[in-house]
């Protein structure tokens, strides 16, 4: 297998995931033909439907099945009848942690032709990236419940921040900022969270010394959320813990006008394991099966995958096609104010590609 041949694991998952992964695959194949990149695919039916049928989101050897793939393209996970913590901890989180995908990358851009709900969010001005720590922090497995069902019932959830974990995500964010506009903002809450957040702040300041060309500041998460709404154009790279990054990135996607166009990547930067790419929008059971889902989140995730695999020119072609379908076409899915089906929207994008 050459550097231009890639074996991709497809996990469509639940809801509209099964509707948006095929368009992303079609776009990958189209841009691959242009750039001399070939893809082979192995599809997996790992999903909430599988959980209801067999009692597990994926088989016991699921991670071993993924290990030799170059990347994972995932649609969405979650469906009514299966608790969210079951679907996430049964599939997404094991993949992220076992394959050390400690960087969750969520680029956010306001496109010409997509109205943001914010007057202050203008196309060409809002272009930021949330860098979220993806494997520890507030989403740890440490904790438990005691005296369940009694008046004395309690629950304990431990946040886990390690020097290694914080240092590597902060270093990644500073390096990314240096390649962009050399501006970084660190999300914190050290005025209220007495141990982990001062530790986070100390390590950010420590790592900043190694990146003198990057201007940086820190914002408390509550004020930062307000500034994302009031002045989103001021931000470039934002680095945050697992919980803070999760919330901020969804807020930023809403600022961009539709969560349906938001893409994400869970990266193992060392490339020792496959990385995973998925749209942010979730399984959207309210519109699943109707053929009206917006495929741009999945297609944008495919572009992130191409960039990670070493094909930035091909990734840019996809990004340019996304911009073109939004600015040069009146074809829109319903979340963007139009009436186009997923198929019609995909065909228009392929035409512009």
């Amino acid at each position: 297998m050459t550097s231009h041949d890639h074996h991709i694991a497809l996990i469509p998952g639940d809801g509209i995931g099964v509707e948006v992964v095929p368009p992303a695959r079609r776009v990958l194949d189209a841009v691959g033909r242009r750039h001399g990149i070939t893809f082979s695919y192995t599809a997996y039916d790992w999903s909430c439907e599988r959980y209801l049928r067999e009692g597990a989101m994926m088989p016991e050897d699921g991670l071993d099945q993924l290990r030799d793939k170059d990347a994972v393209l995932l649609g969405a996970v979650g469906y009514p009848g299966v608790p969210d913590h079951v679907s996430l901890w049964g599939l997404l989180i094991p993949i992220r942690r076992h394959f050390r995908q400690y960087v969750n990358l969520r680029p956010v851009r306001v496109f010409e032709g997509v109205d943001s709900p914010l007057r202050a969010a203008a196309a060409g001005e809002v272009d930021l990236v949330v860098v979220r720590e993806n494997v520890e922090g507030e989403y740890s497995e440490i904790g438990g419940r005691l005296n369940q069902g009694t008046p004395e019932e309690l629950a304990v959830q431990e946040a886990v921040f390690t020097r290694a974990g914080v240092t590597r995500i902060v270093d990644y964010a500073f390096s990314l900022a240096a390649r962009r506009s050399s501006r970084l903002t660190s999300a914190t809450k050290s005025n209220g969270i007495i141990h982990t957040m001062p530790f986070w702040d100390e390590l950010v300041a420590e790592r900043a010394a190694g990146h003198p060309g990057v201007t940086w500041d820190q914002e408390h998460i509550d004020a930062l959320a307000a500034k994302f709404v009031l002045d989103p154009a001021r931000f470039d790279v934002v680095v945050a813990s697992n919980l803070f990054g999760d919330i901020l990135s969804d807020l930023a996607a809403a600022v961009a006008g539709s969560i349906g166009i938001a893409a994400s990547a869970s990266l193992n930067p060392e490339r020792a394991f496959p990385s995973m790419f998925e749209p942010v929008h979730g399984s959207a059971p309210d519109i699943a099966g109707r053929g009206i889902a917006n495929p741009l989140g999945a297609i944008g995730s495919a572009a992130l995958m191409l960039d990670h695999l070493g094909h930035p020119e091909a990734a840019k072609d996809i990004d340019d096609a996304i911009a073109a379908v939004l600015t040069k076409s009146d074809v829109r899915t319903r979340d963007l104010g139009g009436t186009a089906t997923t198929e019609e929207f995909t065909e228009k994008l392929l035409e512009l590609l």
Side-chain angles (χ1 to χ4, degrees):
M1 189 175 280
T2 72
S3 60
H4 283 56
D5 300 322
H6 300 292
H7 191 177
I8 309 301
L10 299 178
I11 307 177
D14 300 304
I16 64 170
V18 301
E19 301 173 47
V20 298
V21 166
R25 177 175 173 173
R26 291 174 64 190
V27 171
L28 278 172
D29 289 337
V31 79
R33 287 191 292 271
R34 175 183 298 175
H35 289 272
I37 308 165
T38 58
F39 300 97
S40 59
Y41 304 95
T42 301
Y44 300 90
D45 69 342
W46 305 344
S47 61
C48 289
E49 185 177 347
R50 185 188 190 280
Y51 174 82
L52 292 172
R53 186 176 68 245
E54 302 187 32
M57 294 291 294
M58 62 177 172
E60 289 187 7
D61 67 343
L63 295 172
D64 290 332
Q65 292 186 43
L66 298 179
R67 190 181 305 275
D68 64 342
K69 307 302 185 291
D70 293 299
V72 178
L73 184 61
L74 185 140
V77 173
Y79 219 66
V82 178
D84 287 342
H85 70 275
V86 170
S87 57
L88 286 174
W89 285 89
L91 184 64
L92 283 186
I93 292 178
I95 292 173
R96 290 172 178 172
R97 298 193 173 185
H98 189 80
F99 293 141
R100 300 179 189 174
Q101 296 169 352
Y102 60 84
V103 174
N104 187 251
L105 204 63
R106 296 200 181 184
V108 173
R109 174 181 169 192
V110 174
F111 287 95
E112 193 74 43
V114 179
D115 292 332
S116 168
L118 306 181
R119 288 174 298 176
E125 295 181 11
V126 177
D127 184 356
L128 62 91
V129 181
V130 176
V131 178
R132 168 191 172 193
E133 199 289 316
N134 207 33
V135 297
E136 54 176 46
E138 302 89 348
Y139 294 176
S140 83
E141 297 173 75
I142 299 175
R145 294 174 66 173
L146 185 66
N147 299 326
Q148 292 189 49
T150 74
E152 295 80 25
E153 184 173 2
L154 64 86
V156 175
Q157 178 74 48
E158 300 286 356
V160 175
F161 288 72
T162 67
R163 172 172 284 273
V166 176
T167 294
R168 65 190 180 189
I169 194 67
V170 170
D171 280 345
Y172 184 94
F174 269 110
S175 296
L176 178 62
R179 299 193 301 272
R180 288 173 53 93
S181 298
S182 295
R183 290 183 290 118
L184 180 140
T185 299
S186 170
T188 186
K189 191 55 182 170
S190 49
N191 60 345
I193 301 176
I194 193 170
H195 298 303
T196 56
M197 284 291 102
F199 178 63
W200 172 279
D201 293 348
E202 291 163 15
L203 291 178
V204 172
E206 178 183 298
R207 306 314 295 179
H211 301 271
V214 176
T215 301
W216 71 281
D217 61 4
Q218 64 185 41
E219 295 273 4
H220 293 305
I221 186 64
D222 42 357
L224 182 54
K227 291 175 182 178
F228 259 39
V229 173
L230 296 172
D231 189 14
R234 68 175 284 185
F235 299 103
D236 184 45
V237 174
V238 180
V239 64
S241 67
N242 210 332
L243 175 62
F244 293 171
D246 196 1
I247 295 169
L248 283 175
S249 54
D250 277 15
L251 173 60
V255 166
S258 172
I259 201 169
I261 65 176
S264 78
S266 292
L267 303 177
N268 172 248
E270 296 79 16
R271 293 174 168 78
F273 301 97
S275 294
M276 182 164 60
F277 304 83
E278 61 180 299
V280 173
H281 53 56
S283 60
D286 57 322
I287 63 168
R290 297 168 58 189
I292 60 173
N294 187 338
L296 288 188
I299 293 169
S301 299
L304 290 174
M305 183 177 77
L306 276 173
D307 188 64
H308 178 73
L309 292 173
H311 306 292
E313 299 87 359
K316 185 178 184 303
D317 280 357
I318 295 179
D319 288 336
D320 289 347
I322 291 173
V325 79
L326 294 172
T327 58
K328 300 177 182 178
S329 164
D330 58 1
V331 178
R332 294 281 190 279
T333 47
R334 296 191 185 189
D335 62 304
L336 297 175
T339 60
T341 65
T342 306
E343 174 67 20
E344 291 166 344
F345 197 50
T346 303
E347 287 290 345
K348 189 63 181 179
L349 185 140
L350 284 167
E351 175 189 321
L352 292 168
L353 181 67

